[in-house]
Amino acid sequence: MLSWVVMYVFACNPKEKTHKLDLSVANSTALDYYNLGWQQIMDYGQYGAAEASYRKAIGIDPNFLIGKSVLARLTLDLGERLSLYKELQIGKEVLTGDERLLIEVYSAFVKLTNVREQTPEKAKDILNKALGVAKKNLGIIVRKYPDEVYLKSEYIEILHALYGARPALDSLEKLRTPDQKRNPFLLGYQASMEAELGLFDLALLRADLLESIISDASVPKSYAVYADIYLKMDSLEKAKQYVDKGFALDKRNLDISRLKTKIDTKLQSTAH
């Protein structure tokens, strides 16, 4: 699977005109690995593989600040995250325009992760500030660069966190381009929000479509989506079957690990 993804990303025509945000990166191969990392984490749920891709990106170009900001959001090493956050705070001063808007969003979420680990009692205020920055900045970016599907994905997540499933679904319908209707992340997230609204049959149909698009049993993404839907349906045994399959494939997948904790906790409570 990984070799196919690498071939796909590296085969893309660099001269093809797209509405994407230009990033300050000196090496095109570093940018390829950065884009590959986004595809791995968002579309396939391969957190471990994505971290390796981001590390390759900044290994090739140590000055790739946006690349460092994404790695900082992903690493589990607090010391490394704190060090990267300092680099982001210093380095972002040289960034301008829309790239500066993006680094402000990522820096805010790195700070949130650090605060949650160091002083969790202060996390709620930091979360609210981060969501505000993300809503404002990503709202500008996704409308200027409609091909930035992963930034658009994060923006929909922010709207969901702030306003709930229905407004986020409405925004997704307005912002998603025709080519993005089969994007694995957006399709899976749409299914999850529909399940949140009780539209279980529709959510399961989208999960089936997602599974057929991915068409690879070694990719954890569809297992996470099915587990989330069945959890919302209160079908805990089915949810556990899916979440355990996904967890076996990638224990680093945050969505799956959080779902597993919820499902196992509910199952334990019902057993007593």
Side-chain angles (χ1 to χ4, degrees):
M1 181 64 196
L2 178 56
S3 61
W4 178 87
V5 175
V6 171
M7 288 172 59
Y8 172 81
V9 174
F10 285 13
C12 289
N13 183 357
K15 295 181 180 179
E16 183 180 352
K17 187 175 181 180
T18 59
H19 297 90
K20 289 193 173 184
L21 173 61
D22 287 331
L23 300 177
S24 299
V25 55
N27 188 290
S28 62
T29 302
L31 185 60
D32 287 335
Y33 276 116
Y34 171 83
N35 290 329
L36 174 60
W38 273 116
Q39 188 177 41
Q40 288 166 324
I41 198 169
M42 299 293 275
D43 290 347
Y44 301 114
Q46 298 169 322
Y47 280 57
E51 181 177 345
S53 294
Y54 296 132
R55 290 192 185 282
K56 287 178 181 177
I58 63 174
I60 294 169
D61 185 353
N63 296 317
F64 186 16
L65 199 63
I66 292 290
K68 287 185 176 181
S69 73
V70 181
L71 176 61
R73 296 177 64 188
L74 187 60
T75 179
L76 300 179
D77 186 327
L78 175 60
E80 180 181 38
R81 202 184 312 118
L82 289 169
S83 177
L84 286 168
Y85 181 72
K86 288 182 180 179
E87 287 189 56
L88 299 181
Q89 293 305 102
I90 296 170
K92 73 179 184 180
E93 297 302 322
V94 303
L95 299 182
T96 60
D98 297 326
E99 192 176 16
R100 176 62 180 265
L101 295 180
L102 185 59
I103 200 75
E104 287 175 355
V105 174
Y106 290 172
S107 295
F109 282 109
V110 174
K111 180 179 181 179
L112 172 64
T113 305
N114 290 338
V115 169
R116 278 177 170 164
E117 192 162 343
Q118 294 180 297
T119 53
E121 67 277 4
K122 299 179 181 179
K124 185 175 180 180
D125 182 55
I126 302 299
L127 171 61
N128 290 333
K129 291 178 180 177
L131 289 174
V133 170
K135 178 195 170 187
K136 176 179 177 291
N137 291 11
L138 290 179
I140 294 170
I141 290 171
V142 300
R143 289 171 173 84
K144 290 179 68 174
Y145 309 99
D147 291 333
E148 287 286 3
V149 65
Y150 301 125
L151 299 183
K152 190 176 297 183
S153 298
E154 292 207 288
Y155 181 59
I156 297 300
E157 289 184 284
I158 297 301
L159 296 181
H160 181 215
L162 288 170
Y163 305 115
R166 175 47 61 193
L169 279 169
D170 291 343
S171 293
L172 174 59
E173 186 62 30
K174 293 176 183 177
L175 292 171
R176 185 171 50 182
T177 66
D179 288 345
Q180 293 165 358
K181 289 186 181 294
R182 290 171 63 86
N183 171 263
F185 178 85
L186 289 177
L187 188 59
Y189 203 67
Q190 181 179 9
S192 178
M193 291 191 291
E194 287 167 341
E196 185 178 328
L197 295 172
L199 304 172
F200 300 125
D201 290 341
L202 183 56
L204 287 171
L205 284 174
R206 298 212 195 275
D208 291 343
L209 176 58
L210 171 64
E211 185 178 39
S212 70
I213 289 172
I214 293 176
S215 189
D216 188 333
S218 70
V219 173
K221 181 66 180 182
S222 59
Y223 299 123
V225 174
Y226 277 120
D228 184 51
I229 294 170
Y230 282 118
L231 173 59
K232 289 180 169 73
M233 293 172 66
D234 209 29
S235 298
L236 298 180
E237 292 296 339
K238 281 190 175 182
K240 181 169 176 56
Q241 290 174 15
Y242 281 107
V243 83
D244 285 348
K245 287 180 181 178
F247 190 72
L249 290 170
D250 191 346
K251 294 178 175 58
R252 287 288 315 280
N253 186 303
L254 293 178
D255 295 327
I256 289 175
S257 61
R258 288 167 182 163
L259 282 167
K260 183 171 173 58
T261 298
K262 290 179 182 178
I263 292 165
D264 288 345
T265 300
K266 289 195 76 171
L267 280 169
Q268 289 172 8
S269 67
T270 58
H272 296 295

